[in-house]
Amino acid sequence: MCATYESLSKKQRQAEFTKVKSHFDSLKELGLKLNMARGKPGKEQLDLVSDILTVMVSPADCVSDGVDVRNYGELTGIPAAKRLFADILGCKPEECIIGGNASLTLMYDTISKAYTHGLLHSETPWSKLDKVKFLCPAPGYDRHFKITESFGAEMIVVPMTEAGPDMDLVEELVKDEAVKGMWCVPKYSNPDGIIYSDETIKRIANLKPAAKDFTLMWDNAYCVHEFDGDFVPFADIISLCREAGNPDMVWEFASTSKITFPGAGVSVMASSVENVAYMEKLLTVQTISYDKVNQLRHVKYLKDKAHTLALMKRHAEILRPKFQCVLRWLDQEIAPLGIATWQRPKGGYFVSVNTAPGLAKRTLALCKEAGVVMTGAGATFPYGKDPKDSNIRIAPSLPPVAELEQAMDVFCTCLKLAALEQA
Amino acid sequence: MCATYESLSKKQRQAEFTKVKSHFDSLKELGLKLNMARGKPGKEQLDLVSDILTVMVSPADCVSDGVDVRNYGELTGIPAAKRLFADILGCKPEECIIGGNASLTLMYDTISKAYTHGLLHSETPWSKLDKVKFLCPAPGYDRHFKITESFGAEMIVVPMTEAGPDMDLVEELVKDEAVKGMWCVPKYSNPDGIIYSDETIKRIANLKPAAKDFTLMWDNAYCVHEFDGDFVPFADIISLCREAGNPDMVWEFASTSKITFPGAGVSVMASSVENVAYMEKLLTVQTISYDKVNQLRHVKYLKDKAHTLALMKRHAEILRPKFQCVLRWLDQEIAPLGIATWQRPKGGYFVSVNTAPGLAKRTLALCKEAGVVMTGAGATFPYGKDPKDSNIRIAPSLPPVAELEQAMDVFCTCLKLAALEQA
């Protein structure tokens, strides 16, 4: 079948439906249990990095810059971990707070503190305001949106372009002083895999928001996460904001969750030294220190940016065939039919598929019926509401390639079926 | 000098002052740098437990109850860690949420969520209330008080007795529906080292607070932390509250910070399964999971309650001489003078000294002058204000005994000097 579905006669369409339905039924009978729901590394990646378990084995291994990491203290992290992350992110060590096992928690805590205590330039805690609005480039990361939703912010969708968020719209929206911030995944955006252009980043750094405490939530989750080709250098947003006269406008986040162990790594939040000092005062009440043993473990294992990039090349060897599998299925099975388009990312953890309007929910319901779990339809939009019911996030990292072949067979079949049902 | 200071004639007092002052000056000349400020374990204790670094060395070590702890998931913690903490605390595994490296963070987050989202039985988030009051048995733990202070709660001092908080007063105070909770360190209270009596605990579990979301912040920090004598069994507050018809009134907290590595251990919060389910919903937004590799590392190292208690006996061997040193100095140098009283704890991390009124600040200022850093005067009271300027918390765990001898020499000298200056 090489013609687009739109060009089919009613009879041809009926024949195609019968064929696709029959294949769907045969797939259902396999009783598959496959998961492409989350950006979860696979076992091979976990095994790749398991030497991190043995880089610290004795008391002598536990001293770094004169600090015994086994004891309390060093609230903002050990100096060696600040140097490592500054090297990776291109910022300065003194601009870094090294956190616990999850950058998501650092983001949640930042928004939470904005509500309960206010940020550096807040006139009042956000909980005291009648209205807080947050800009949400979409499709985007569902867990970002859940945070601002959970605190009752009004989320405003900003369409994503090939170059990042629609900046004409963003520049207009920030004139409203109720707009307090914007979620960004600037490199290999979740789910599109888009790298914000230099022009976009420059315009973001030069925003003139009405709210003095407007905050970029700059989630650089995939800062060194190329799976195809060499490391792509990326601007340091902290310097750019400083140069633009907005030194305290950004908090950048990153973690080692997709470098070492997911959920057992080390996170970082970075900003101006003034922001760091302010946040440190608030953090003093919340904790005595984060897990410095794990911080030092990561420093010993990752060493520096160059060594980390070499490790990421090995992750890439594992991930690339999975992404190639996804794209091969889409190119062969879906491209000719004119029922969806997709991105071809070179890094990150997702392939973002945009179906013809109204097909996403039904496609994923069919996938579920056939034993393939995907990120819920709509999840990539604020409030879980995709206005076109079109965006589907494919997360191919967890299953081995053999399972992925099956899962993509299911996915393509379900997408076709959804399209054919619709007419 | 064996007479009380009060009984001295002016001349005797002057002679004593000259003698003590001269000793103080000679101590000052030593240029000491000693720290008795925080309940920080010493290096010997850290070395004692450093085998924990090598209990997990390979991918095969990373699977527990079928869960690969190296990957995302298991928000409320791995089952084996729940079983371990339930064994230690005397509650049920399903009543436990296993957290990250700091129980203080779990406490902060609980209060924070009460303010931003409300607790299970809250009619409104606390941030929307005109007034939130919190009961603070004092002397108590400064970091508890800092949390409620940071959120703007009005803290009400409840005097500590030998049996725990003054329960007549507590029962009266909870009739005010603005009173939303109470901080408790029920076993080896910080700083007094008092174990709440069975009667006190029963009265606490049977409180009838006006506020439906009244919450006991039950920080069982020293649940297995005897340094003198055998483990003292302790009531399970969760059962008691359930039996009293207050199933959701308590959150219990604990951690391994003074069992394995301070700040690199595992924490727990425990309550009714209904409270756990409610909290899990809120936590889903904050994190994907806590560090399960470290959870499993602790399970493998600590095994169960019996094995943990055996380890605590070895900690006790290290700690006991330090407490004996503190008490010996106080008994010999201070007891005869009638200028202070103190507790004689058998567990926990502190000795609480109550000086004659008005001596605490001056004593600690003199200590600082002579190079000995102590917990700030007043820190054991809400807002840092000790109405009698009397309570001093001695934390003898960090310095080796030889240093502690010097530090206690300084402390006793400074206390005498402060008393002699006052007349």
Side-chain angles (χ1 to χ4, degrees), chain A residues 123-252:
Chain A
E123 280 160 3
T124 183
W126 296 1
S127 64
K128 303 293 183 201
L129 298 172
D130 291 334
K131 177 69 90 176
V132 169
K133 300 179 187 172
F134 227 82
L135 305 187
C136 298
Y141 181 32
D142 56 345
R143 288 185 180 272
H144 288 166
F145 303 155
K146 283 282 179 205
I147 291 174
T148 30
E149 181 178 359
S150 160
F151 283 90
E154 178 186 327
M155 296 185 285
I156 301 172
V157 172
V158 174
M160 280 290 285
T161 74
E162 295 290 322
D166 176 343
M167 287 307 299
D168 290 343
L169 182 57
V170 169
E171 284 164 353
E172 203 50 41
L173 288 168
V174 300
K175 292 175 185 168
D176 176 356
E177 71 174 354
V179 170
K180 290 294 196 178
M182 174 162 74
W183 289 109
C184 299
V185 183
K187 191 175 174 185
Y188 306 120
S189 65
N190 179 348
D192 284 326
I194 285 170
I195 301 184
Y196 289 14
S197 72
D198 289 345
E199 172 65 17
T200 296
I201 296 173
K202 203 178 148 190
R203 286 175 73 179
I204 290 175
N206 282 276
L207 283 172
K208 296 285 168 252
K212 287 179 191 163
D213 54 355
F214 178 91
T215 297
L216 290 172
M217 298 292 285
W218 196 256
D219 184 3
N220 209 344
Y222 307 107
C223 51
V224 291
H225 298 61
E226 284 76 14
F227 58 75
D228 190 359
D230 287 334
F231 170 70
V232 177
F234 197 68
D236 170 31
I237 189 70
I238 300 169
S239 304
L240 291 179
C241 284
R242 186 172 49 237
E243 288 158 15
N246 287 321
D248 309 320
M249 191 178 70
V250 63
W251 274 108
E252 179 174 20

Side-chain angles (χ1 to χ4, degrees), chain B residues 133-153:
Chain B
K133 300 179 187 173
F134 227 83
L135 305 187
C136 298
Y141 181 30
D142 56 345
R143 288 185 179 272
H144 288 165
F145 303 155
K146 283 283 179 203
I147 291 175
T148 30
E149 180 178 359
S150 160
F151 284 91

Side-chain angles (χ1 to χ4, degrees), chain B residues 235-345:
Chain B
D236 169 32
I237 188 71
I238 300 169
S239 305
L240 292 179
C241 284
R242 186 172 50 238
E243 288 158 15
N246 287 321
D248 310 319
M249 191 178 70
V250 63
W251 273 108
E252 178 173 20
F253 302 89
S255 84
T256 66
S257 270
K258 290 171 184 95
I259 300 175
T260 62
F261 294 146
V266 173
S267 59
V268 61
M269 59 194 291
S271 186
S272 68
V273 292
E274 287 73 18
N275 257 349
V276 165
Y278 177 79
M279 192 55 74
E280 183 176 1
K281 262 196 289 184
L282 294 183
L283 283 173
T284 303
V285 184
Q286 191 176 17
T287 190
I288 299 171
S289 48
Y290 293 101
D291 183 345
K292 297 189 302 299
V293 172
N294 208 33
Q295 290 179 10
L296 184 53
R297 194 179 278 125
H298 278 76
V299 168
K300 284 177 185 278
Y301 183 69
L302 296 175
K303 295 186 172 71
D304 54 26
K305 181 178 175 182
H307 193 262
T308 304
L309 289 178
L311 175 64
M312 296 313 287
K313 285 270 186 191
R314 300 180 63 196
H315 280 294
E317 295 301 319
I318 300 168
L319 285 170
R320 193 164 53 248
K322 298 184 179 188
F323 281 86
Q324 286 170 339
C325 169
V326 169
L327 292 173
R328 195 181 65 246
W329 275 93
L330 291 173
D331 288 344
Q332 288 177 359
E333 293 294 317
I334 304 298
L337 310 179
I339 56 174
T341 59
W342 49 90
Q343 301 291 336
R344 312 185 77 84

Side-chain angles (χ1 to χ4, degrees), chain B residues 161-419:
Chain B
T161 75
E162 294 291 321
D166 176 343
M167 286 309 298
D168 291 342
L169 183 56
V170 169
E171 284 164 353
E172 202 51 41
L173 288 169
V174 300
K175 293 176 184 167
D176 176 357
E177 69 174 353
V179 170
K180 290 293 194 179
M182 174 161 73
W183 289 111
C184 298
V185 182
K187 189 173 175 186
Y188 306 121
S189 66
N190 179 350
D192 284 326
I194 286 170
I195 301 183
Y196 289 15
S197 72
D198 288 345
E199 172 66 16
T200 296
I201 296 173
K202 202 178 148 194
R203 287 175 72 179
I204 290 176
N206 283 275
L207 282 173
K208 297 285 168 249
K212 288 178 190 166
D213 55 355
F214 178 91
T215 298
L216 289 172
M217 297 292 287
W218 195 259
D219 183 2
N220 209 344
Y222 307 107
C223 51
V224 290
H225 298 64
E226 284 76 15
F227 58 74
D228 190 358
D230 286 334
F231 171 71
V232 176
F234 197 68
D236 169 32
I237 188 71
I238 300 169
S239 305
L240 292 179
C241 284
R242 186 172 50 238
E243 288 158 15
N246 287 321
D248 310 319
M249 191 178 70
V250 63
W251 273 108
E252 178 173 20
F253 302 89
S255 84
T256 66
S257 270
K258 290 171 184 95
I259 300 175
T260 62
F261 294 146
V266 173
S267 59
V268 61
M269 59 194 291
S271 186
S272 68
V273 292
E274 287 73 18
N275 257 349
V276 165
Y278 177 79
M279 192 55 74
E280 183 176 1
K281 262 196 289 184
L282 294 183
L283 283 173
T284 303
V285 184
Q286 191 176 17
T287 190
I288 299 171
S289 48
Y290 293 101
D291 183 345
K292 297 189 302 299
V293 172
N294 208 33
Q295 290 179 10
L296 184 53
R297 194 179 278 125
H298 278 76
V299 168
K300 284 177 185 278
Y301 183 69
L302 296 175
K303 295 186 172 71
D304 54 26
K305 181 178 175 182
H307 193 262
T308 304
L309 289 178
L311 175 64
M312 296 313 287
K313 285 270 186 191
R314 300 180 63 196
H315 280 294
E317 295 301 319
I318 300 168
L319 285 170
R320 193 164 53 248
K322 298 184 179 188
F323 281 86
Q324 286 170 339
C325 169
V326 169
L327 292 173
R328 195 181 65 246
W329 275 93
L330 291 173
D331 288 344
Q332 288 177 359
E333 293 294 317
I334 304 298
L337 310 179
I339 56 174
T341 59
W342 49 90
Q343 301 291 336
R344 312 185 77 84
K346 291 180 173 271
Y349 264 69
F350 306 103
V351 175
S352 178
V353 175
N354 289 304
T355 70
L359 296 187
K361 266 191 203 158
R362 178 60 183 156
T363 300
L364 298 190
L366 289 166
C367 282
K368 197 173 170 193
E369 228 181 282
V372 174
V373 177
M374 314 263 304
T375 313
T380 53
F381 281 78
Y383 309 107
K385 285 180 194 159
D386 175 358
K388 293 186 188 159
D389 183 26
S390 161
N391 188 251
I392 294 175
R393 185 180 84 161
I394 298 179
S397 52
L398 184 65
V401 173
E403 287 186 14
L404 206 55
E405 298 279 355
Q406 286 187 307
M408 285 306 297
D409 190 357
V410 170
F411 176 75
C412 293
T413 305
C414 294
L415 175 52
K416 290 182 202 174
L417 203 52

